[in-house]
Amino acid sequence: MKEFKNETKCLHSGYEGTNGNPRAIPIIQSTTFKYDSSEDMADLFDLKTNGYFYSRLANPTNDYVAQKIADLEGGVGAVLTSSGQAASFYSIFNICQSGDHIVSSSAIYGGTFNLFAVTMKKMGIDFTFVSPDATEDELNNAFRENTKAVFAETLANPALVVTDIEKFAKIAHAHKVPLIIDNTFATPILCKPIDFGADIVIHSTTKYMDGHGLCVGGVVVDSGNFDWEKSGKYPCLTEPDESYHGLTYTETFKNAAYITKMVAQLMRDLGSIPSPHNSFLLNIGLETLHLRIQRHYENAIKIAKHLEHNEKIEWIRCPALESDKNYDLAKKYLSGKSCGVISFGIKGGKEKSVEFINKLNLIAIATHVADAKSCVLHPASSTHRQLTDEQLDKAGIPNNLIRLSVGIENVDDIIADIDQALSSI
């Protein structure tokens, strides 16, 4: 549906009901699928034909929703995963093995940082973390001969740093590796990273795409633009896969080689799929994504401007504010807007920040973010508490940082709750 705008794709991409069939995406709640002959099943296992045989690899409901997200991002295909963390892991592990290296922005979600710096390091995959503000020379110096990808977030959680996607893509491609962008906070409504040179786009669909705090999930989108054969660094895609009788992904699946391998190999061996019912609920969220993102932004910018000159606020981050250091990047990549998340620090450090949070009534203390309902968190003592002070500093997270996820309630009610909490500390 590439000829339609994203507002239309939110409603119509991925599935089109045929004559006499449901207009809504159906829930195919089945682990298995029946075939008339062993030959039919054998062809599916050998990837000679398309179809479904076991939901650990693929399921129609999941694929309908994945295709909608691929259409929204401008990719050739996508795979839903059971969580955003699974999407982060799969996006890299699909092209890496022990002994490989990744360059990553340091301004990323704390859970992703732990995944990279701790768990995947135990698997033999090494990461070098660079500042999102790194110069081209600094980025180039982070590369090694065994570097296989560059990773960054469009809009960092919770530092709200905007990545210069074109710069990161330029450097990645100069080293013949793909750029992987986590677009969770921006969503394709505000930014389509593929348009700026990203090769792989991932999301925690748990956040704005779901939008209602119902289902944990993730997605990996393949742009289809990266030339794996020309790079010469990815034998996993360009040389025969003995587990499929010598099939070569780039020969057989062309520009969909990356995403096909993820299904055929990683999902086959590791699983991490969402349930069809979760995907059905995710789609309901996607249908109103374009409306909710606008309301989130409108509320967030009003609150940011309200807090910008409050005497109890030490600093505030919202890329849509003209005073924000990322304002120019937000104009370029986010059409001058931002998501519904703002970060700020209260004078008095961690103690006063925690006191403020505890005084809120309408706004809930929750690990979640990017929800229809407003919620708040102190990352240094929760989502990022495993990081050292040095790591927190590199990630742009002071110990007084408060992450406020602005919901779609009446903005005056949200501001009133913030004001009463501030006045009590």
Side-chain angles (χ1 to χ4, degrees):
M1 298 188 72
K2 296 187 183 298
E3 69 275 19
F4 291 116
K5 304 296 185 184
N6 267 5
E7 293 86 347
T8 303
K9 290 180 180 180
C10 280
L11 289 158
H12 294 284
S13 280
Y15 172 80
E16 184 176 351
T18 54
N19 188 41
N21 284 306
R23 191 177 188 197
I25 287 178
I27 303 173
I28 311 299
Q29 192 68 48
S30 181
T31 61
T32 45
F33 301 83
K34 178 182 178 295
Y35 286 89
D36 294 333
S37 71
S38 293
E39 289 75 19
D40 289 338
M41 186 67 77
D43 285 344
L44 289 167
F45 271 90
D46 284 344
L47 306 183
K48 292 179 179 178
T49 59
N50 293 322
Y52 300 94
F53 52 92
Y54 197 56
S55 280
R56 189 180 74 232
L57 284 89
N59 173 281
T61 305
N62 294 350
D63 283 357
Y64 296 145
V65 181
Q67 186 56 51
K68 174 175 285 191
I69 297 172
D71 285 348
L72 287 168
E73 286 288 8
V76 297
V79 173
L80 295 185
T81 62
S82 57
S83 69
Q85 284 290 82
S88 297
F89 173 73
Y90 278 17
S91 69
I92 290 172
F93 195 64
N94 198 40
I95 50 174
C96 288
Q97 62 184 8
S98 180
D100 287 338
H101 172 256
I102 303 292
V103 175
S104 174
S105 169
S106 59
I108 56 176
Y109 167 58
T112 308
F113 187 95
N114 290 330
L115 170 66
F116 292 170
V118 180
T119 301
M120 294 190 76
K121 186 174 182 178
K122 291 177 182 178
M123 300 170 69
I125 300 172
D126 199 16
F127 288 78
T128 296
F129 296 94
V130 297
S131 168
D133 301 323
T135 65
E136 290 191 10
D137 285 343
E138 289 170 335
L139 283 171
N140 280 316
N141 290 336
F143 281 78
R144 304 174 188 171
E145 189 155 333
N146 60 339
T147 301
K148 291 296 182 69
V150 178
F151 185 97
E153 296 180 359
T154 306
L155 192 54
N157 175 14
L160 297 180
V161 174
V162 181
T163 297
D164 189 340
I165 299 172
E166 285 188 336
K167 179 177 72 173
F168 272 67
K170 173 186 173 183
I171 300 301
H173 296 161
H175 290 270
K176 299 181 179 180
V177 304
L179 172 62
I180 302 170
I181 289 288
D182 184 334
N183 200 33
T184 297
F185 269 16
T187 81
I189 304 303
L190 293 179
C191 179
K192 298 173 75 169
I194 291 171
D195 290 348
F196 297 101
D199 303 289
I200 309 297
V201 176
I202 68 169
H203 291 264
S204 169
T205 61
T206 319
K207 310 306 189 297
Y208 284 120
M209 286 189 166
D210 172 328
H212 301 87
L214 298 177
C215 305
V216 174
V219 67
V220 181
V221 181
D222 182 1
S223 72
N225 295 334
F226 191 79
D227 194 329
W228 304 102
E229 290 186 331
K230 186 177 180 181
S231 169
K233 290 190 169 194
Y234 304 94
C236 60
L237 291 169
T238 62
E239 295 181 6
D241 181 353
E242 297 307 322
S243 70
Y244 280 107
H245 307 294
L247 174 147
T248 300
Y249 292 101
T250 50
E251 284 183 8
T252 305
F253 301 104
K254 309 302 180 185
N255 69 336
Y258 172 91
I259 206 70
T260 303
K261 176 182 178 291
M262 185 172 292
V263 175
Q265 194 179 88
L266 294 193
M267 284 300 181
R268 176 196 67 188
D269 295 345
L270 299 175
S272 297
I273 61 155
S275 74
H277 187 255
N278 275 15
S279 297
F280 174 83
L281 294 174
L282 168 60
N283 182 65
I284 293 174
L286 287 168
E287 291 188 347
T288 60
L289 179 63
H290 57 295
L291 300 174
R292 289 183 289 102
I293 285 295
Q294 181 62 28
R295 179 59 177 264
H296 281 292
Y297 164 69
E298 290 172 355
N299 281 358
I301 191 64
K302 287 179 183 178
I303 292 169
K305 289 179 177 179
H306 179 76
L307 293 175
E308 191 174 14
H309 304 294
N310 187 293
E311 62 180 12
K312 293 187 179 182
I313 302 299
E314 183 177 339
W315 55 266
I316 186 165
R317 293 179 191 159
C318 174
L321 286 175
E322 291 187 24
S323 60
D324 193 280
K325 69 174 185 176
N326 285 275
Y327 179 70
D328 288 339
L329 288 173
K331 285 201 297 184
K332 178 177 181 178
Y333 294 112
L334 305 171
S335 301
K337 298 180 180 180
S338 186
C339 64
V341 181
I342 63 175
S343 294
F344 57 92
I346 292 180
K347 294 176 182 177
K350 178 180 178 180
E351 181 180 341
K352 289 297 180 182
S353 294
V354 172
E355 184 180 349
F356 164 77
I357 288 174
N358 289 340
K359 296 289 185 179
L360 293 166
N361 296 318
L362 173 66
I363 303 168
I365 300 172
T367 305
H368 201 221
V369 68
D371 194 333
K373 306 180 188 72
S374 294
C375 55
V376 69
L377 198 69
H378 181 248
S381 61
S382 54
T383 55
H384 291 67
R385 68 180 296 117
Q386 287 81 17
L387 274 61
T388 65
D389 288 342
E390 181 181 359
Q391 290 170 334
L392 285 170
D393 183 61
K394 287 182 178 179
I397 303 171
N399 68 3
N400 69 339
L401 184 149
I402 292 170
R403 184 185 72 184
L404 175 61
S405 179
V406 181
I408 59 174
E409 301 96 341
N410 184 291
V411 69
D412 293 336
D413 291 334
I414 305 172
I415 289 173
D417 193 33
I418 293 170
D419 285 347
Q420 66 82 22
L422 282 173
S423 66
S424 66
I425 63 172

